[in-house]
Amino acid sequence: MSTHQPPQAAAPASGTGTPDARQLRTILIAVSVALMAVIASVSGLNVAQTQMAVEFGASQNTVLWIINIYTLSLAALLLPLGAIGDRVGRKPMLITGLTVFGAASVVAGVAPSAGVMIAARVAAGVSAAMIMPITLAVITSTFPAEQRGKAIGVWTGVAGGGGVLGMFLSALLVDVADWRRLFVLPVVLVVVALVMTLKSVPNSRQDAAHSFDTTGASLSAAAVIGLIFVLQEGPERGWTAPVTLTSLAVGVLAAVGFVAWELRRREAALLDVRLFRERGLAGGSITLLVVFGVQAGIAVVLFPFFQAVLGWSGLLSTVAMMPMAVMMMLASGLAPRMAARVGARSTMAVGVALAMLGLVLMAVFVSVDGGYLSVLAGLLAMGVGMGLSMTPSTEAITNSLPRAEQGVASALNDVTREFGTALGVALLGALLSAGYRRAIDDRLDGIPEEAADTAREGVANAVETAPGSGAHSQDLVHAAQQSFVDGWQQAMWAGVAVMGVLLVHIALRGPKGPAPATSDDPETAAADVVG
């Protein structure tokens, strides 16, 4: 297996050569719309938790399962389904995924019970795992080298900012209509993507020389399920709960078994883990893990600040996140040009440094009285920094695997993002909660015991119980808001420390030079069959 050859462009299905500029633009729009449907569904249901609990008569734990089971099934099957897509054909896999995803979204929209909703979300997660890696694999196997970086920049912009945009549209639908209308958006996106895919996306597949790595696929799925379950359920169930520790043990053992098995399979492996010795794959993966972790953690911190501290609605809170998402998407498009001029490592370093600056600004200037303006500069810097760092990181990962395995490369990129998101939510959320509890304990003197106990559970709980505390109402709200800011600062400084370590790593071990812009060599594409 070649470990240094960048992916080469595939010919279109017609066999007449590289797609022209118009077809490439249509292909990029098609896969971006498909990706948006998947990304929007990750965060969309977060804004409808209360409505689902009431309509289904479901507990908070059941509602969280409705939300989290989608991410869990998506992450678990990314690598296996990405590899299968390489073998059976990327276009058929994308069409199948879009069809199942659309059907699952329709079922979820009319689900009569929580059980049916969970089943629909599982089906949506599985089909999303068919879609997400293929969207990037289509880009890396279709676009010529000189245009690939720009296309990946668009893809990373959608992947990074699509979640916030999806949440905004979902919150708008919940406010002006009904929570079930949330599923109209992914269905519409799927229909558009499906029509464009059938018409314009070329097919390509790997002419596999080895049997499918079923053992490796099973171990990878078990590892991902075990570890992400820990990150999702640990804060809710407790980090030392038997189910949490059991899941951790399963995840770690499966991960170790996966590495050992893949080293044994070598060229026949699902993922050649030896490639992580290379700077591109290791540096790109670590950067995406940290950047997406911090981004997800920031969202966990921001929404309570907007809603419980500033008193904003869910829709307005989502709108407040849009500047960061817009800057992220714009910077993702500019990153390839910057990487071509100064190199991928320098571009990634500048991006991480700007993201770290954003965290510093939010840690230093956040205040109750300052409101939104006290965090806006930090949000803008974060958005630019993440956009600049994500695109070259993604390209470094896809360039580290040969063209025939771009489904696996794309899946690895996506798994890294999912792990980072789960890790960021768990860790920064835990730091925020711990900092809040420590800070508010010193501010509850004189507050009635029952109200004080409720306030310790979180800032939203404190604001809700404050009217029942009589003359102490304003003091309790003020204490909770100030304590939240203290917890916020603790979480932000932890993020700064993590980003600082990442910056040093990139400076010393980041990808060398700019993203490759070599001409396509037909000989290196021999492993792919165009259909």
Side-chain angles (χ1 to χ4, degrees):
M1 177 186 296
S2 170
T3 59
H4 299 281
Q5 186 65 250
Q8 304 299 323
S14 62
T16 58
T18 302
D20 59 27
R22 181 177 180 180
Q23 186 180 358
L24 288 174
R25 186 164 53 250
T26 304
I27 292 169
L28 182 58
I29 294 173
V31 296
S32 296
V33 172
L35 177 65
M36 176 63 78
V38 171
I39 296 298
S41 295
V42 172
S43 56
L45 275 184
N46 284 322
V47 301
Q49 293 187 46
T50 301
Q51 291 89 336
M52 286 192 296
V54 172
E55 184 159 339
F56 291 142
S59 66
Q60 179 62 27
N61 187 58
T62 300
V63 171
L64 289 177
W65 265 111
I66 291 174
I67 295 171
N68 291 338
I69 196 65
Y70 173 83
T71 306
L72 193 62
S73 53
L74 164 63
L77 295 175
L78 279 168
L79 271 178
L81 292 179
I84 292 173
D86 285 336
R87 288 168 172 259
V88 304
R90 290 159 190 144
K91 184 172 183 176
M93 180 66 85
L94 182 56
I95 291 172
T96 303
L98 288 169
T99 303
V100 176
F101 189 88
S105 298
V106 171
V107 172
V110 298
S113 65
V116 174
M117 175 65 82
I118 289 176
R121 293 287 286 175
V122 170
V126 172
S127 54
M130 302 169 71
I131 297 169
M132 196 171 182
I134 299 302
T135 58
L136 182 56
V138 166
I139 291 175
T140 56
S141 63
T142 302
F143 278 71
E146 63 273 12
Q147 300 181 46
R148 192 176 301 132
K150 294 179 182 178
I152 290 176
V154 173
W155 188 93
T156 55
V158 173
V164 176
L165 181 58
M167 188 175 291
F168 164 70
L169 294 174
S170 298
L172 181 63
L173 286 170
V174 168
D175 276 13
V176 303
D178 180 75
W179 72 269
R180 291 184 180 274
R181 300 292 178 88
L182 294 177
F183 297 98
V184 172
L185 174 63
V187 170
V188 171
L189 292 174
V190 161
V191 171
V192 173
L194 188 57
V195 171
M196 297 183 73
T197 297
L198 288 168
K199 181 179 180 181
S200 302
V201 173
N203 187 31
S204 61
R205 62 182 176 85
Q206 176 188 1
D207 189 8
H210 305 280
S211 61
F212 182 71
D213 185 6
T214 305
T215 300
S218 301
L219 287 170
S220 71
V224 172
I225 289 174
L227 296 175
I228 289 191
F229 181 88
V230 169
L231 295 173
Q232 288 182 343
E233 298 295 316
E236 183 74 17
R237 298 172 182 262
W239 295 105
T240 59
V243 66
T244 305
L245 295 177
T246 300
S247 180
L248 177 62
V250 170
V252 171
L253 289 174
V256 172
F258 174 76
V259 172
W261 176 258
E262 298 303 277
L263 287 173
R264 178 182 175 185
R265 292 268 298 184
R266 301 176 71 85
E267 281 75 13
L270 178 72
L271 172 65
D272 189 351
V273 295
R274 295 172 298 169
L275 292 172
F276 282 97
R277 298 170 184 168
E278 295 188 4
R279 291 189 175 195
L281 188 60
S285 298
I286 292 172
T287 301
L288 286 182
L289 182 77
V290 173
V291 168
F292 268 81
V294 171
Q295 179 196 19
I298 291 297
V300 169
V301 173
L302 280 173
F303 276 99
F305 178 74
F306 293 147
Q307 293 178 300
V309 176
L310 302 186
W312 291 359
S313 67
L315 178 59
L316 185 57
S317 299
T318 308
V319 172
M321 292 280 289
M322 291 300 290
M324 182 173 72
V326 170
M327 296 307 296
M328 188 190 313
M329 298 176 80
L330 291 175
S332 294
L334 294 174
R337 299 179 188 176
M338 184 172 175
R341 291 184 179 182
V342 304
R345 176 161 52 182
S346 297
T347 303
M348 291 166 66
V350 170
V352 171
L354 283 173
M356 186 167 64
L357 174 62
L359 292 171
V360 171
L361 291 174
M362 285 190 283
V364 171
F365 294 110
V366 64
S367 68
V368 177
D369 296 333
Y372 182 57
L373 292 180
S374 68
V375 301
L376 180 58
L379 287 177
L380 295 175
M382 277 286 297
V384 175
M386 289 188 294
L388 289 178
S389 59
M390 287 190 305
T391 300
S393 299
T394 297
E395 197 167 4
I397 293 174
T398 58
N399 281 342
S400 297
L401 274 75
R403 174 192 173 212
E405 299 179 16
Q406 283 305 291
V408 173
S410 305
L412 177 62
N413 174 80
D414 299 332
V415 170
T416 302
R417 292 167 181 264
E418 295 300 329
F419 263 119
T421 298
L423 192 61
V425 169
L427 295 185
L428 289 187
L431 285 171
L432 172 66
S433 297
Y436 169 84
R437 285 193 296 270
R438 281 196 296 269
I440 201 169
D441 276 339
D442 298 330
R443 296 187 170 108
L444 293 176
D445 292 340
I447 303 296
E449 184 176 352
E450 184 176 352
D453 289 341
T454 302
R456 290 187 180 94
E457 296 176 5
V459 61
N461 304 79
V463 172
E464 185 177 355
T465 196
S469 60
H472 300 285
S473 175
Q474 288 300 318
D475 292 338
L476 181 57
V477 170
H478 180 73
Q481 291 175 337
Q482 290 296 332
S483 298
F484 182 87
V485 168
D486 290 345
W488 166 301
Q489 291 174 320
Q490 177 175 309
M492 292 302 101
W493 286 120
V496 170
V498 172
M499 295 295 273
V501 173
L502 175 62
L503 182 59
V504 173
H505 173 79
I506 291 174
L508 297 177
R509 297 289 302 170
K512 295 181 179 179
T518 57
S519 61
D520 294 329
D521 179 3
E523 293 183 3
T524 64
D528 255 11
V529 176
V530 178

